[in-house]
Amino acid sequence: QVQPVESGGGLVQAGRSLRLSCVDSAGIFSGSLLHWYRQAPGKERELVASITTDGRTNYADSVKGRFTVSRDNAKNTMYLQMNNLKSEDTAVYYCNTYTRVTTGRWSQGTQVTVSS
């Protein structure tokens, strides 16, 4: 099953930045509400950021002012710019569409580890 592919994760020091990308090769992003979720060890998956087709965004309180979600509809790609990273941002990050979330379909995710 073709699914979005996340990339850009890694190990960084607290205070630094990372930019995650999510590429959709199946065209499922088109016209879809898109999300970034994350799941830290021992915790439930949580919604981090959302973006509508026309670019309206919403963020979890924990990342407001530090993270920025964007999308390039022509490239079927979504991004998450993460600045001033904190140790509590350590998690596996997943991109997804609203429809795939509601049907329980998830891709592999990308690991972000922030060292303090």
PDB file of all heavy atoms in Angstrom, residues 3-16:
ATOM      1  N   GLN A   3       1.992   4.824   0.796  1.00  0.00           N
ATOM      2  CA  GLN A   3       1.686   5.683   1.929  1.00  0.00           C
ATOM      3  C   GLN A   3       2.678   6.830   1.947  1.00  0.00           C
ATOM      4  O   GLN A   3       3.743   6.762   1.328  1.00  0.00           O
ATOM      5  CB  GLN A   3       1.788   4.887   3.229  1.00  0.00           C
ATOM      6  CG  GLN A   3       3.133   4.231   3.450  1.00  0.00           C
ATOM      7  CD  GLN A   3       3.097   3.288   4.651  1.00  0.00           C
ATOM      8  OE1 GLN A   3       2.044   3.011   5.222  1.00  0.00           O
ATOM      9  NE2 GLN A   3       4.259   2.802   5.054  1.00  0.00           N
ATOM     10  N   PRO A   4       2.351   7.886   2.681  1.00  0.00           N
ATOM     11  CA  PRO A   4       3.288   9.009   2.768  1.00  0.00           C
ATOM     12  C   PRO A   4       4.602   8.562   3.397  1.00  0.00           C
ATOM     13  O   PRO A   4       4.632   7.633   4.214  1.00  0.00           O
ATOM     14  CB  PRO A   4       2.565  10.008   3.666  1.00  0.00           C
ATOM     15  CG  PRO A   4       1.134   9.621   3.603  1.00  0.00           C
ATOM     16  CD  PRO A   4       1.110   8.145   3.421  1.00  0.00           C
ATOM     17  N   VAL A   5       5.674   9.232   3.056  1.00  0.00           N
ATOM     18  CA  VAL A   5       6.989   8.902   3.582  1.00  0.00           C
ATOM     19  C   VAL A   5       7.581  10.115   4.278  1.00  0.00           C
ATOM     20  O   VAL A   5       7.794  11.160   3.644  1.00  0.00           O
ATOM     21  CB  VAL A   5       7.934   8.425   2.468  1.00  0.00           C
ATOM     22  CG1 VAL A   5       9.321   8.138   3.041  1.00  0.00           C
ATOM     23  CG2 VAL A   5       7.371   7.176   1.798  1.00  0.00           C
ATOM     24  N   GLU A   6       7.855   9.952   5.573  1.00  0.00           N
ATOM     25  CA  GLU A   6       8.465  11.020   6.351  1.00  0.00           C
ATOM     26  C   GLU A   6       9.981  10.919   6.294  1.00  0.00           C
ATOM     27  O   GLU A   6      10.539   9.819   6.189  1.00  0.00           O
ATOM     28  CB  GLU A   6       8.027  10.918   7.822  1.00  0.00           C
ATOM     29  CG  GLU A   6       6.534  10.961   8.069  1.00  0.00           C
ATOM     30  CD  GLU A   6       5.911   9.586   8.124  1.00  0.00           C
ATOM     31  OE1 GLU A   6       6.551   8.615   7.667  1.00  0.00           O
ATOM     32  OE2 GLU A   6       4.777   9.465   8.614  1.00  0.00           O
ATOM     33  N   SER A   7      10.627  12.062   6.410  1.00  0.00           N
ATOM     34  CA  SER A   7      12.089  12.104   6.473  1.00  0.00           C
ATOM     35  C   SER A   7      12.527  13.363   7.201  1.00  0.00           C
ATOM     36  O   SER A   7      11.708  14.255   7.453  1.00  0.00           O
ATOM     37  CB  SER A   7      12.699  12.067   5.068  1.00  0.00           C
ATOM     38  OG  SER A   7      12.322  13.218   4.338  1.00  0.00           O
ATOM     39  N   GLY A   8      13.818  13.422   7.527  1.00  0.00           N
ATOM     40  CA  GLY A   8      14.368  14.613   8.138  1.00  0.00           C
ATOM     41  C   GLY A   8      14.633  14.515   9.626  1.00  0.00           C
ATOM     42  O   GLY A   8      15.184  15.438  10.231  1.00  0.00           O
ATOM     43  N   GLY A   9      14.241  13.414  10.222  1.00  0.00           N
ATOM     44  CA  GLY A   9      14.486  13.250  11.643  1.00  0.00           C
ATOM     45  C   GLY A   9      15.958  13.013  11.937  1.00  0.00           C
ATOM     46  O   GLY A   9      16.775  12.850  11.025  1.00  0.00           O
ATOM     47  N   GLY A  10      16.291  13.000  13.213  1.00  0.00           N
ATOM     48  CA  GLY A  10      17.675  12.760  13.599  1.00  0.00           C
ATOM     49  C   GLY A  10      17.904  13.100  15.047  1.00  0.00           C
ATOM     50  O   GLY A  10      16.960  13.329  15.806  1.00  0.00           O
ATOM     51  N   LEU A  11      19.184  13.141  15.406  1.00  0.00           N
ATOM     52  CA  LEU A  11      19.598  13.475  16.762  1.00  0.00           C
ATOM     53  C   LEU A  11      20.145  14.894  16.773  1.00  0.00           C
ATOM     54  O   LEU A  11      21.077  15.201  16.015  1.00  0.00           O
ATOM     55  CB  LEU A  11      20.667  12.485  17.236  1.00  0.00           C
ATOM     56  CG  LEU A  11      21.354  12.796  18.565  1.00  0.00           C
ATOM     57  CD1 LEU A  11      20.352  12.765  19.714  1.00  0.00           C
ATOM     58  CD2 LEU A  11      22.493  11.805  18.805  1.00  0.00           C
ATOM     59  N   VAL A  12      19.559  15.741  17.611  1.00  0.00           N
ATOM     60  CA  VAL A  12      20.011  17.126  17.698  1.00  0.00           C
ATOM     61  C   VAL A  12      20.086  17.549  19.150  1.00  0.00           C
ATOM     62  O   VAL A  12      19.438  16.951  20.019  1.00  0.00           O
ATOM     63  CB  VAL A  12      19.069  18.097  16.941  1.00  0.00           C
ATOM     64  CG1 VAL A  12      19.104  17.829  15.459  1.00  0.00           C
ATOM     65  CG2 VAL A  12      17.655  18.012  17.479  1.00  0.00           C
ATOM     66  N   GLN A  13      20.842  18.594  19.400  1.00  0.00           N
ATOM     67  CA  GLN A  13      20.920  19.150  20.746  1.00  0.00           C
ATOM     68  C   GLN A  13      19.744  20.079  21.003  1.00  0.00           C
ATOM     69  O   GLN A  13      19.186  20.680  20.067  1.00  0.00           O
ATOM     70  CB  GLN A  13      22.224  19.922  20.926  1.00  0.00           C
ATOM     71  CG  GLN A  13      23.461  19.049  20.962  1.00  0.00           C
ATOM     72  CD  GLN A  13      24.712  19.855  21.216  1.00  0.00           C
ATOM     73  OE1 GLN A  13      24.849  20.979  20.749  1.00  0.00           O
ATOM     74  NE2 GLN A  13      25.645  19.261  21.962  1.00  0.00           N
ATOM     75  N   ALA A  14      19.385  20.201  22.233  1.00  0.00           N
ATOM     76  CA  ALA A  14      18.316  21.117  22.609  1.00  0.00           C
ATOM     77  C   ALA A  14      18.661  22.531  22.125  1.00  0.00           C
ATOM     78  O   ALA A  14      19.819  22.954  22.176  1.00  0.00           O
ATOM     79  CB  ALA A  14      18.116  21.104  24.114  1.00  0.00           C
ATOM     80  N   GLY A  15      17.625  23.218  21.649  1.00  0.00           N
ATOM     81  CA  GLY A  15      17.816  24.560  21.128  1.00  0.00           C
ATOM     82  C   GLY A  15      18.054  24.628  19.636  1.00  0.00           C
ATOM     83  O   GLY A  15      17.953  25.707  19.040  1.00  0.00           O
ATOM     84  N   ARG A  16      18.369  23.487  19.021  1.00  0.00           N
ATOM     85  CA  ARG A  16      18.625  23.473  17.584  1.00  0.00           C
ATOM     86  C   ARG A  16      17.332  23.235  16.820  1.00  0.00           C
ATOM     87  O   ARG A  16      16.237  23.151  17.400  1.00  0.00           O
ATOM     88  CB  ARG A  16      19.647  22.371  17.268  1.00  0.00           C
ATOM     89  CG  ARG A  16      20.953  22.508  18.003  1.00  0.00           C
ATOM     90  CD  ARG A  16      21.683  23.798  17.668  1.00  0.00           C
ATOM     91  NE  ARG A  16      22.188  23.829  16.314  1.00  0.00           N
ATOM     92  CZ  ARG A  16      23.401  23.420  15.966  1.00  0.00           C
ATOM     93  NH1 ARG A  16      24.218  22.936  16.875  1.00  0.00           N
ATOM     94  NH2 ARG A  16      23.789  23.505  14.704  1.00  0.00           N
TER      95      ARG A  16
END
